[in-house]
Amino acid sequence: LEQLLDGIHRHMRGLFDAEFLQTAEISAGFHYPVRTQYSTMHLQVRVNNGSVCRDDGRGVLIGDLISQLKEDRDSFRADKRVLNYKVTENVKVSLLAAANQYKVEHAELNPDHIIHQTSELTYHLGTGAKHQQNSDDEEASTESQGQGE
């Protein structure tokens, strides 16, 4: 990743003069698609056009990723946190189909925890879905207890 970042800077020096680059705002990072025709996470570089990563949780700046991996090389080995994405309905349908396919192909693992529907067209997917369901249930229980049944 550091070599990739160096390459991005080298490429920018080939496109722009040093004076421009001193004041330019360059954002480089990986982000997930909004539409299904862009089906993979990809690298994007923006020059004086805002950040690659918005507040929708679909991306990570390359510098942040490098820092996180330097701090903990194994930070991406397991799903330790829930990531929420705002996506179009067709992406939701594709993700739900993939999760259902996983359940069928891995039935021997009893993968019922892979999908948890929280409301209409809202799902928690992945191995953390069951944990999230338990957290949601605990919050609901706490709220109902506080209302004096």
Side-chain angles (χ1 to χ4, degrees):
L1 289 172
E2 289 174 334
Q3 289 174 349
L4 178 60
L5 185 58
D6 289 343
I8 291 168
H9 288 133
R10 197 169 39 256
H11 182 70
M12 292 293 122
R13 286 192 301 272
L15 295 175
F16 304 107
D17 63 32
E19 184 179 334
F20 175 82
L21 288 175
Q22 287 179 350
T23 59
E25 179 187 324
I26 298 173
S27 174
F30 300 94
H31 72 123
Y32 297 95
V34 175
R35 293 174 280 182
T36 55
Q37 63 263 41
Y38 307 115
S39 62
T40 59
M41 179 172 61
H42 55 275
L43 173 68
Q44 186 177 63
V45 178
R46 292 183 176 197
V47 179
N48 292 338
N49 194 17
S51 177
V52 167
C53 300
R54 307 294 174 136
D55 62 353
D56 57 8
R58 291 185 297 115
V60 61
L61 294 174
I62 193 167
D64 294 346
L65 185 56
I66 291 169
S67 296
Q68 184 173 354
L69 288 171
K70 281 183 175 180
E71 185 177 313
D72 179 6
R73 288 183 66 100
D74 295 328
S75 63
F76 294 104
R77 286 197 184 267
D79 293 332
K80 296 177 185 173
R81 59 189 165 139
V82 174
L83 301 174
N84 295 307
Y85 300 99
K86 296 177 185 175
V87 297
T88 59
E89 294 305 316
N90 56 350
V91 172
K92 287 181 186 179
V93 169
S94 297
L95 289 171
L96 186 57
N100 279 317
Q101 181 178 350
Y102 178 90
K103 284 177 66 172
V104 169
E105 292 175 359
H106 298 88
E108 73 280 359
L109 301 175
N110 193 21
D112 291 332
H113 64 281
I114 297 298
I115 301 171
H116 171 62
Q117 185 170 0
T118 58
S119 64
E120 187 176 354
L121 293 177
T122 302
Y123 300 91
H124 290 255
L125 303 176
T127 57
K130 185 175 184 178
H131 172 72
Q132 186 64 34
Q133 177 182 0
N134 292 339
S135 296
D136 292 346
D137 292 345
E138 287 171 10
E139 286 177 23
S141 174
T142 302
E143 288 173 8
S144 67
Q145 288 173 3
Q147 294 173 359
E149 302 180 276

